[in-house]
Amino acid sequence: MERMEGVDAGYLYMETPTMHMHTLKIAIMEPSDGYTFAGLERQLLARMNDLPPLKQRPLPVPLALNHPMWISDGPIEPGRHIFRHDLPPPGGHTELEALIGQVCSTPLDRSIPLWEVHVCEGMAGGLVAVIGKLHHALADGGAANALIANIADSGDGATTADTGSDPPADWHFDAVPAKGTQIKLALRDATMQIGTLHTLLGRTTSGAVAAIRRRREHDVSVPRPILDAPRTSFNGALTPRRNFATCTLDMAHVKQVRKANGVTINDVVLAVVGGALRTWFDSHDEHPATALLAGVPVSTEEAGSSPRLSGNRVSNLFTTLATDVDDPIERLHTISKITSASKDLQRTLGPSMLADWVQFTPPAPFSAVLRWYSHARMAARHAPPFNVIVSNVKGPPDEIRIAGSRLHDLYSVGPIIEGIGLNITAWSYAGRLNIAALSCPDLLPDLPSLVAALEPALEQLRSP
């Protein structure tokens, strides 16, 4: 049992009836001989020791005196976590994406460990889709990568799971502490945390002064959240509904553009998204007043650190999508220059600064304000802090097998938040860049047409 870090707990506090803070991992599997849903369920339960965050649920502190605890106080109940679906004919990506939108439209149950697995059978070609629905409080993209690696079969093709349906014999269950004990622990941890406030204030002040100085030295202007983000049709108040769409880009083509232009893979991803959004806006006769602003999650993990199976080590930087630039190559270089300057400012300020301050988030007031904000649909009444979330995660470079089944493809996407109704996540896998987009159909009803513009946007960068 351990105290939840502030950045992880923040994802719980942000959740409202219209803002669901789970992530999705979609694995398209080529099942091994003898596959059955019951067998897959047994394999998953047998591997719980390799997936430690999936055994823990949040334990709120009485009176919300501190962040919740993570506790493993009982066995997994399969019927509350693992579900089977039959895709309607013809069982293609269109049918799967519609189901994923439905799965994503409901929040996770806080009274049990914060995950679900939805097994989708009836796919064309005998494939099986496994939708992992995981609360962001449990893991970010880096931790999710490590979890996948933890349950992948070894290189010689051997599997690591047994075939029993019971929890592993060495599964330790925590005793739920009495409320008085919970309060004492919460106050003790809060007192220790307050002792770090003086140092944090000093680091923040010096970092802010240095960042202002560095900003003046740059020859490009780094966009500012709220002040520089235009209004668009998909920046507004959310409803609970979600829609989902995917496409796949050839990673070799992405690397070709990167090498030819001396930029990063992330720059290319941002330029592809910017190009697709320009096409989409033109087709809808929508003309934002200025270039769109992207929020880009970036890892704060220290180089060379050991694989991490849970928690979040991410911050956000803000950059332009240069949607006001006509030429695709010029757009790419504009994005690259501004993103580089934004990274420099973040390094100067300190990549963990936001996470350090979030540690002091007061649980009850923060949650109450966000519930009111969401209920009052306040996001529709002002300009967004930024326009779109764009993530790029490096996944497994080679194809892997899990429980003997070949992992044919892998997609991932994070949540959308009030005011920012579009999340586009690129996840590389085995020479492909799989892109997943999540939105709210009440803000962006024709998400597939936007996603369909991503590949042509890449081709524009390859053939200027």
Side-chain angles (χ1 to χ4, degrees):
M1 190 173 64
E2 59 185 354
R3 178 78 54 206
M4 195 180 294
E5 293 187 13
V7 68
D8 303 330
Y11 290 112
L12 290 178
Y13 306 153
M14 289 175 67
E15 200 154 47
T16 72
T18 58
M19 190 162 61
H20 312 141
M21 298 309 296
H22 47 253
T23 68
L24 297 178
K25 303 291 179 286
I26 299 98
I28 310 298
M29 309 291 296
E30 188 178 287
S32 57
D33 293 339
Y35 160 82
T36 63
F37 170 76
L40 186 150
E41 182 180 82
R42 287 195 300 270
Q43 290 277 2
L44 179 59
L45 292 172
R47 292 178 178 223
M48 278 293 112
N49 272 349
D50 297 318
L51 303 166
L54 271 59
K55 300 193 297 184
Q56 299 176 313
R57 70 175 179 88
L59 179 66
V61 174
L63 307 177
L65 293 173
N66 206 328
H67 303 312
M69 304 285 284
W70 285 122
I71 186 169
S72 177
D73 60 347
I76 296 298
E77 300 178 50
R80 302 182 70 182
H81 290 277
I82 307 172
F83 308 93
R84 180 181 175 275
H85 304 269
D86 283 313
L87 286 182
H93 269 255
T94 300
E95 290 75 28
L96 177 61
E97 289 166 1
L99 176 60
I100 293 171
Q102 295 172 20
V103 167
C104 198
S105 297
T106 57
L108 289 162
D109 184 348
R110 297 277 191 96
S111 68
I112 57 177
L114 299 176
W115 62 273
E116 293 175 357
V117 166
H118 296 258
V119 181
C120 308
E121 300 176 349
M123 285 194 72
L127 299 175
V128 173
V130 180
I131 307 167
K133 183 175 170 181
L134 187 71
H135 203 285
H136 215 319
L138 286 178
D140 58 13
N145 250 332
L147 288 170
I148 292 170
N150 231 30
I151 61 171
D153 299 345
S154 60
D156 58 7
T159 62
T160 58
D162 61 44
T163 57
S165 59
D166 294 329
D170 58 345
W171 189 333
H172 170 74
F173 297 121
D174 298 320
V176 179
K179 288 189 176 182
T181 302
Q182 293 181 44
I183 291 173
K184 289 179 182 177
L185 291 173
L187 293 175
R188 180 203 66 186
D189 293 347
T191 301
M192 293 174 61
Q193 186 65 38
I194 290 172
T196 68
L197 187 57
H198 177 74
T199 301
L200 179 57
L201 281 167
R203 284 197 296 117
T204 302
T205 301
S206 60
V209 170
I212 291 171
R213 186 180 302 116
R214 289 292 293 166
R215 186 183 183 95
R216 291 171 179 166
E217 295 172 357
H218 287 130
D219 58 359
V220 294
S221 178
V222 175
R224 301 160 298 177
I226 302 175
L227 298 176
D228 296 328
R231 290 176 179 265
T232 77
S233 55
F234 51 77
N235 293 124
L238 302 176
T239 72
R241 301 198 305 151
R242 299 291 181 266
N243 51 356
F244 177 85
T246 63
C247 77
T248 295
L249 305 180
D250 190 328
M251 195 65 183
H253 293 173
V254 175
K255 290 180 177 179
Q256 176 191 356
V257 175
R258 173 193 61 79
K259 184 176 181 181
N261 292 277
V263 297
T264 68
I265 294 292
N266 196 57
D267 293 334
V268 178
V269 170
L270 289 166
V272 168
V273 172
L277 282 165
R278 270 182 63 95
T279 300
W280 188 86
F281 283 130
D282 287 344
S283 67
H284 289 73
D285 196 27
E286 185 174 347
H287 307 287
T290 57
L292 264 64
L293 177 59
V296 183
V298 292
S299 174
T300 60
E301 200 86 68
E302 294 184 7
S305 57
S306 301
R308 172 177 50 84
L309 298 177
S310 63
N312 292 265
R313 296 291 184 273
V314 292
S315 186
N316 281 278
L317 63 82
F318 302 98
T319 189
T320 184
L321 290 177
T323 48
D324 58 343
V325 177
D326 293 333
D327 181 77
I329 296 300
E330 183 184 349
R331 186 183 312 126
L332 171 61
H333 285 287
T334 299
I335 289 170
S336 180
K337 290 176 182 177
I338 293 178
T339 302
S340 178
S342 183
K343 289 177 181 177
D344 183 48
L345 287 178
Q346 187 189 60
R347 284 192 297 268
T348 303
L349 183 60
S352 65
M353 190 69 71
L354 177 61
D356 292 340
W357 276 109
V358 169
Q359 190 68 26
F360 293 92
T361 302
F366 188 72
S367 296
V369 167
L370 280 174
R371 285 195 300 269
W372 167 82
Y373 181 89
S374 181
H375 178 75
R377 299 181 59 81
M378 293 299 295
R381 306 185 186 187
H382 60 80
F386 55 95
N387 299 106
V388 55
I389 302 166
V390 182
S391 299
N392 176 35
V393 180
K394 184 179 180 181
D398 302 306
E399 286 193 345
I400 62 175
R401 290 180 176 269
I402 298 176
S405 296
R406 172 175 167 252
L407 181 55
H408 185 274
D409 255 323
L410 182 65
Y411 298 86
S412 174
V413 73
I416 53 176
I417 59 179
E418 290 288 355
I420 299 100
L422 178 61
N423 185 314
I424 298 178
T425 300
W427 192 293
S428 62
Y429 176 68
R432 299 182 292 279
L433 190 65
N434 291 333
I435 298 182
L438 183 73
S439 187
C440 171
D442 297 293
L443 293 176
L444 205 167
D446 58 340
L447 183 62
S449 70
L450 171 56
V451 172
L454 291 167
E455 187 170 8
L458 176 59
E459 290 305 307
Q460 288 179 348
L461 294 170
R462 294 183 65 221
S463 305

